[in-house]
Amino acid sequence: MIEIENDADYQAYRRRLFDFLWHEVEPLAGEIERGGEFPRDKLFPRFREFGLWGLLIPRRHGGLGLTTKQYLPILAEFSKVAGTVRVLLHVHNTSARAVAAYGSAAQKEALLPALARGDSSLTFAITEPNSGSGMDVACRAQRDGDEWCVNGTKHYITNAEFADLHLVCCRTGAPGGSDGSGDRRDRRALSALIIPTDAPGFTIEPMPRLMGNNGPYHGILHFEDARVAAASMIGGEGDGLEIFLGELEPSRAFVAASSLGAAERALEIALDFAKRRVTFGKRIAARPSVQAELAEMARDVYALRLILEDVAGKIDRGEDCALEASIAKLSGLETVMRVTDKALDVVGGRAYFSDYPYPLERIYREARINLAEEGTPSIQRLVMARALLELPAPLAIGTLGAPYQPAGTDPALGQNVPPDLSYAHDPEMPD
Ligand SMILES: Cc1cc2nc3c(=O)[nH]c(=O)nc-3n(C[C@H](O)[C@H](O)[C@H](O)COP(=O)(O)OP(=O)(O)OC[C@H]3O[C@@H](n4cnc5c(N)ncnc54)[C@H](O)[C@@H]3O)c2cc1C
């Protein structure tokens, strides 16, 4: 039984966990990824011993109840040692978090202890082949007595190979809108259902091999008049958007933490190689061009760490941080792409081979999943711009200390009067 009561407990747990990850998981990572077979019999019970299935589940329901600040370093370390382990546990923990946040007391009692032990696992199923990961969800659930009847398809679903439960985003509003208005953007038209793998009318089709993070296969979920009890709904009818977006927001910071781990490992590899490799009678670490690459990599890694520390605090304080979480996700992606690219350059041809001796090409491939997870860069920019345009002035995101604007001044204009910009408006041009 792991009890984390204070920072000393957490630090001791973190050290034990990292020992396990580097001694027992890291040596298997290359083979798991190449073979696409996850050694479930070997690792799943060890994950249970370390409480890894319940990292975000409250302690009263059998989990460790970590804060975001405590969780992010663990995710980063998963990603440093084995991307497939990070992906697997990230999805499980994010999905379990949704039940803890939005489930009824009865649902929490019924589901969370088994999820915390890893006796049960829940996927997070939004994406569909013919619509994006958003409000144009086509998978429909219709009420039929005390059941929901579900029809539709979800794809790319992580952990589909072994999970016994699936948190599925379904359209429950009338076609084109809950009020029959024809508006597919109706915010109350979506709901969250937990559908068990053995529900009648539900089948799972394995998906092809991935660019990286191979392990348990990703699945296509087919629902053909699939039946689930009415009580399987998380939250109320029409709460789906709030639930899925509510979980995607912190989960963007979780993905960014995985970028941080991969970027830091790439930097460690580049540093190690630069200190060992001698060309033309000198270590390459002595060459200004290599030093410049290492310096820029370190700058990127450090900046991402600071972003994550800030976002983690905001999530833990329950602050609205849609803007910051998307900034973290996008910065994480750009950081890990730049840093792994530079590491490849520093290590040269050797980096293009597997485990020769560094796992850099695996880490490079694994990190590219962060492009798609919890929304693409375009989607992050969209979320950021929307949130930014709604923020009050003065902005708090760049302010060191509490925002304060002296009376009679304006953060954009100082004491200048607002200009008449109408001259810039061409009446011939549509808005
Ligand atoms: C390995 C892997 C695992 C995944 N696991 C899961 C999972 O467990 N559960 C789940 O629900 N999903 C999962 N996903 C899906 C992931 O969230 C989506 O791939 C991602 O949201 C992008 O959706 P899409 O692939 O349909 O791309 P598309 O929507 O087809 O987008 C393609 C391109 O068009 C751009 N684009 C699309 N719409 C717009 C727009 N409105 N404005 C501007 N640009 C736009 C995108 O930014 C992107 O560049 C997984 C994906 C992968 C690759």
Side-chain angles (χ1 to χ4, degrees):
M1 181 74 179
I2 300 163
E3 293 282 353
I4 299 180
E5 306 273 358
N6 50 41
D7 190 55
D9 291 346
Y10 171 71
Q11 296 304 340
Y13 167 73
R14 187 171 175 271
R15 282 194 295 275
R16 273 200 316 117
L17 174 61
F18 287 13
D19 282 346
F20 159 68
L21 292 175
W22 284 90
H23 288 136
E24 296 183 44
V25 178
E26 204 273 345
L28 304 175
E31 189 44 44
I32 296 174
E33 215 285 310
R34 272 190 297 279
E37 288 286 325
F38 198 89
R40 277 197 251 165
D41 293 348
K42 188 171 181 171
L43 289 182
F44 278 18
R46 297 289 282 147
F47 291 173
R48 177 190 295 191
E49 287 167 34
F50 283 94
L52 302 183
W53 300 105
L55 292 169
L56 298 176
I57 294 177
R59 287 161 61 186
R60 65 181 173 284
H61 295 297
L64 298 192
L66 297 187
T67 62
T68 308
K69 273 208 165 154
Q70 292 171 327
Y71 180 55
L72 294 190
I74 290 173
L75 273 181
E77 208 71 13
F78 289 156
S79 146
K80 260 187 187 174
V81 301
T84 184
V85 168
R86 196 281 300 173
V87 169
L88 189 158
L89 289 168
H90 157 70
V91 170
H92 174 94
N93 280 290
T94 294
S95 307
R97 190 183 187 281
V99 177
Y102 299 97
S104 65
Q107 286 167 333
K108 290 182 202 176
E109 284 295 314
L111 299 172
L112 291 179
L115 287 169
R117 288 192 303 274
D119 290 343
S120 175
S121 192
L122 179 66
T123 70
F124 195 79
I126 310 177
T127 311
E128 303 184 0
N130 296 321
S131 61
S133 308
M135 291 173 67
D136 53 344
V137 164
C139 183
R140 283 201 64 77
Q142 274 173 308
R143 188 66 184 257
D144 183 13
D146 56 1
E147 289 183 327
W148 287 99
C149 176
V150 184
N151 281 286
T153 304
K154 299 284 174 185
H155 73 165
Y156 303 154
I157 305 307
T158 307
N159 294 348
E161 180 180 314
F162 65 87
D164 58 328
L165 298 172
H166 308 268
L167 183 62
V168 183
C169 186
C170 299
R171 181 166 292 276
T172 46
S178 59
D179 57 358
S181 61
D183 185 358
R184 298 197 74 198
R185 294 164 302 167
D186 180 355
R187 299 188 69 82
R188 299 291 306 163
L190 303 179
S191 301
L193 278 177
I194 292 201
I195 306 183
T197 300
D198 59 6
F202 175 22
T203 50
I204 300 178
E205 182 187 342
M207 293 196 70
R209 205 180 146 72
L210 304 162
M211 176 197 268
N213 302 296
N214 285 286
Y217 67 69
H218 287 57
I220 307 177
L221 316 185
H222 297 284
F223 302 101
E224 289 172 31
D225 288 333
R227 300 266 160 181
V228 278
S232 309
M233 185 166 281
I234 296 285
E237 189 175 337
D239 288 345
L241 198 66
E242 186 195 337
I243 293 171
F244 285 99
L245 291 186
E247 282 314 301
L248 281 176
E249 189 174 301
S251 206
R252 289 183 172 136
F254 303 163
V255 172
S258 87
S259 296
L260 179 66
E264 199 179 2
R265 179 94 193 254
L267 174 56
E268 301 267 18
I269 289 170
L271 279 167
D272 187 75
F273 184 80
K275 289 186 215 160
R276 292 174 194 270
R277 174 72 169 149
V278 175
T279 66
F280 302 96
K282 254 188 179 179
R283 285 182 216 286
I284 62 166
R287 308 286 178 187
S289 60
V290 173
Q291 290 180 354
E293 300 228 86
L294 295 172
E296 285 176 12
M297 290 161 81
R299 174 206 59 195
D300 275 347
V301 166
Y302 184 57
L304 179 57
R305 184 192 122 188
L306 295 182
I307 290 174
L308 279 169
E309 280 181 0
D310 187 62
V311 178
K314 289 190 164 124
I315 295 171
D316 285 338
R317 290 191 297 276
E319 292 172 21
D320 180 6
C321 57
L323 172 63
E324 294 89 333
S326 281
I327 287 176
K329 162 80 209 299
L330 187 59
S331 303
L333 173 68
E334 291 178 351
T335 293
V336 80
M337 304 245 279
R338 274 198 301 270
V339 171
T340 51
D341 262 342
K342 287 198 168 90
L344 232 65
D345 186 29
V346 169
V347 176
R350 196 177 291 259
Y352 207 70
F353 294 85
S354 304
D355 298 316
Y356 194 56
Y358 307 104
L360 188 54
E361 66 82 32
R362 172 172 62 79
I363 301 234
Y364 180 92
R365 287 184 289 108
E366 285 172 353
R368 266 59 193 167
I369 196 180
N370 300 12
L371 266 162
E373 278 180 304
E374 333 304 38
T376 59
S378 309
I379 299 302
Q380 304 312 321
R381 291 189 193 103
L382 199 78
V383 173
M384 285 153 64
R386 274 191 196 147
L388 193 55
L389 290 167
E390 281 172 12
L391 283 182
L395 292 175
I397 52 167
T399 310
L400 294 168
Y404 170 72
Q405 191 68 39
T409 70
D410 179 277
L413 293 163
Q415 293 195 60
N416 285 345
V417 289
D420 176 7
L421 297 176
S422 60
Y423 66 85
H425 181 71
D426 179 349
E428 298 299 316
M429 295 288 287
D431 282 331

